[in-house]
Each structure stands twice: as C-alpha cells, then as structure tokens.
Amino acid sequence: MAEDLKAVARRIFEEILPNGDVAGLRAVAHPEIVNHGTPPDAPPGLDGNIQGMRWLNGGFSERRFEIHQVIAEGDTVVVHCTFHGRHTGQFRGLAPTNRPVAFRHVHILRFQDGKVVEHWAVRDDLGLGRQLGAFPGPPGRAVPGGA
C-alpha cells in the first residue's frame, strides 16, 4: 500500500503538475481536498488546487520537480523536492524575468481510498523571491540539483 501511495505522489510531481494535467489531478485528488497552503483567495477543494497548478504553470516554463526523497507511513506520504523552471510569465505581480529558478519544497500528502484528501507544503518562497529579484540586493541563485 505505501509503495502504491508513493507512486501516486511521484506521478503528481513528475507528471501531473509540470504538465498542467487537470484530468490527472482530478484522478488522484479528492474533490474536497483540504490544502493547508493555498492562498486565502483560492477556492476550496480541488478547484483551488487546479487554480494553483495553473498559476504556477502560467508563471514558469521548463517546469520540473526534482525528487530527492519520498517517504511513506500509513496513509501519509512526504515528498522532498526541488522545483526547477524559467520565469517566463506573470507570477505574483512580477513581470517575466526569463531567469531560471530552483527552490526547495517539502509536501505532505494524506491519502484516503487512494486519493489525496489533505496537503501541506513548506516551500522556500524567500529563495524564489530572491532569484526573481523581488527583494533588495543581488538576485539569489538557483539551488543546484541534488544540493
């Protein structure tokens, strides 16, 4: 069972999110999924997750998640990964910079009946903001893969 859930989690980050696959997300997430990391103005449930995926994909091209580790215990899977992309679209009010970015994430996914019902995320948003020049000082650098 844990290996099956780990495979679903990998599919989410390696295929579904980078490709903006709405049907794929609908297949693996419960319609009333609780996402503890969505912006306050995002709709609840799966619609908010779809909006988040589109928002990320609208801001970045060449998207991929480099997975460093996937851990499963019971109905919960933890994914440690780095998002890589190029800032080629509007993102959080920032005009495209065409800069490559890479920033760390840790995602916790709780499953029920094979679908994600709850999600938490810890992202290095500060590191991303520095890479995009959103903060004073020199732009940050992309986190090298595997670092």
Side-chain angles (χ1 to χ4, degrees):
M1 174 95 170
E3 291 305 314
D4 294 341
L5 298 181
K6 286 169 67 173
V8 172
R10 280 187 167 278
R11 180 173 170 235
I12 290 169
F13 292 98
E14 292 177 335
E15 299 171 22
I16 294 171
L17 295 178
N19 294 315
D21 182 359
V22 173
L25 193 57
R26 287 188 193 284
V28 298
H30 191 278
E32 295 176 23
I33 182 175
V34 175
N35 188 339
H36 298 281
T38 56
D41 59 339
L46 185 55
D47 289 341
N49 286 268
I50 291 169
Q51 182 184 65
M53 178 175 65
R54 287 180 173 154
W55 171 64
L56 187 65
N57 291 355
F60 298 95
S61 60
E62 303 171 27
R63 297 171 303 277
R64 71 180 175 87
F65 286 88
E66 175 186 0
I67 295 181
H68 306 295
Q69 192 169 22
V70 181
I71 302 166
E73 183 176 321
D75 63 356
T76 303
V77 176
V78 177
V79 179
H80 172 219
C81 58
T82 299
F83 173 82
H84 297 268
R86 181 170 297 279
H87 181 219
T88 53
Q90 191 78 7
F91 183 74
R92 292 189 178 176
L94 296 172
T97 63
N98 202 38
R99 292 180 180 161
V101 299
F103 65 110
R104 298 284 181 133
H105 293 221
V106 174
H107 295 272
I108 302 170
L109 309 168
R110 188 173 68 80
F111 287 82
Q112 182 178 317
D113 300 324
K115 291 196 172 201
V116 181
V117 294
E118 206 165 5
H119 170 257
W120 297 262
V122 178
R123 298 176 312 266
D124 182 12
D125 290 343
L126 178 61
L128 173 61
R130 287 187 48 86
Q131 291 173 58
L132 297 178
F135 303 109
R141 65 175 179 81
V143 175

